[in-house]
Amino acid sequence: MDYSYIFRSAKIKKDSLEAAGFATTDGNSYTMEQNVSSGTFNANISLSLSEQILTVHLYDSATGEKYALFDMQNVHGAFIASLREEVQQLIDEIRENCFESKDLKDDYIAWIKTQFGAEPDFPWPDTPDYCVFRCPNKKWFALVMKIKFRQLGLTGDEAVWVVNMKASQDAIPTLIDRKSIFPAWHMNKKHWITVLLTAATDFEKLCGLTQKSYELVCK
């Protein structure tokens, strides 16, 4: 099962991997094995730094055969749910020990206030996590909100802070990397983009994109 969504919200702390139990032969690909379900299964955890992929597969401890049902998203039931919950706990521990996961939301909002003298506006009472920042012409150039990774086409139901902003139509295809910058969620994808407000996003680049959005909207 794929847990690579972690890379979208956090930066890896490479020096912590071996202390956490990972082994490597090349400094890029790391593996770890953990017992699951009181030793009934062996969890093989694989981590690729260059490709930013984190996967887990379960193997029957007695036979060594892969337990394919664990990977099938459409398979449910109490037993499968308990296995996935136990593996999720392992993933959460890895995230806590091996990743830096501070979000950028508060720092970003503070920067906008200083840079543009703009205060957050909360126009939708039913969605209190959504706030917009407006140009002097009253049009908004940044929408800060909390959505789920799956709404950006990523694995995981975890909530994440993002910002929608305007970008040059010609530049959008080269800006989108589907790691920290995505086609706009719930907006015109020809003119807007969505950027993660996570540790995985370069703050200087985020500010530069916001400056461009401000200029496009305010002109």
Side-chain angles (χ1 to χ4, degrees), residues 68-92:
L69 294 179
F70 174 77
D71 296 323
M72 298 179 182
Q73 295 282 2
N74 61 337
V75 176
H76 304 285
F79 182 64
I80 292 292
S82 68
L83 290 177
R84 289 175 179 160
E85 182 178 356
E86 190 171 346
V87 170
Q88 186 63 56
Q89 291 174 356
L90 293 176
I91 295 300
D92 290 344

Side-chain angles (χ1 to χ4, degrees), residues 145-196:
M145 56 190 168
K146 183 180 283 186
I147 62 175
K148 294 186 177 181
F149 280 106
R150 61 178 171 77
Q151 291 171 300
L152 295 173
L154 300 173
T155 304
D157 277 335
E158 184 179 0
V160 59
W161 286 104
V162 302
V163 57
N164 276 9
M165 62 179 72
K166 197 166 189 179
S168 168
Q169 186 173 352
D170 294 337
I172 286 178
T174 58
L175 288 174
I176 291 173
D177 57 15
R178 298 187 184 274
K179 295 180 179 179
S180 61
I181 304 174
F182 297 81
W185 180 76
H186 224 270
M187 291 192 66
N188 188 327
K189 294 175 174 52
K190 291 183 178 180
H191 302 285
W192 297 83
I193 57 176
T194 295
V195 184
L196 298 183

Side-chain angles (χ1 to χ4, degrees), residues 105-106 108-114 116-124 128-134 140-144 161:
K105 178 227 177 188
D106 291 342
Y108 179 62
I109 288 178
W111 177 82
I112 287 181
K113 290 180 178 180
T114 300
F116 305 109
E119 292 294 327
D121 179 20
F122 300 87
W124 301 289
D129 287 334
Y130 288 29
C131 70
V132 299
F133 292 88
R134 301 181 187 275
W140 61 265
F141 63 92
L143 163 60
V144 175
W161 286 104

